[in-house]
Amino acid sequence: MAKEILLYTSINSYSVADFITALEDAKNSDICIRMNTPGGSVYDGYGAIAKFKEFPNDKTIKVDGRADSFGAFFLCFCPQD
């Protein structure tokens, strides 16, 4: 079962730091990002995407509500089946 990582807030330096820490903690697992975000900072969001792209295991994203603004852009970097 994939480890779930929540992105349930605005995308900013604090939430991205927490997101990157969660990715590091899950480095030996598959992950599922559960997203419900109004979007946020483009520059901070690129940091989250950079780390997400480096993640070596299987990864998926599920939208639990909304993925507005940069949240929608983030979805472009999720592997598609």
Side-chain angles (χ1 to χ4, degrees):
M1 180 177 216
K3 181 171 180 162
E4 291 188 342
I5 298 174
L6 301 179
L7 186 54
Y8 267 41
T9 186
S10 297
I11 296 170
N12 57 51
S13 60
Y14 302 108
S15 63
V16 169
D18 289 344
F19 178 80
I20 289 172
T21 299
L23 286 176
E24 287 293 324
D25 291 345
K27 65 182 172 187
N28 296 319
S29 304
D30 297 336
I31 58 169
C32 176
I33 308 301
R34 299 194 72 104
M35 183 179 294
N36 188 358
T37 180
S41 168
V42 172
Y43 300 112
D44 295 323
Y46 279 130
I49 287 171
K51 195 65 173 179
F52 181 76
K53 286 173 48 178
E54 293 174 1
F55 192 81
N57 301 331
D58 288 340
K59 52 196 171 198
T60 58
I61 298 177
K62 294 183 179 182
V63 178
D64 296 336
R66 63 185 188 168
D68 297 343
S69 186
F70 203 84
F73 188 69
F74 195 110
L75 299 176
C76 298
F77 293 89
C78 184
Q80 303 295 312
D81 290 335

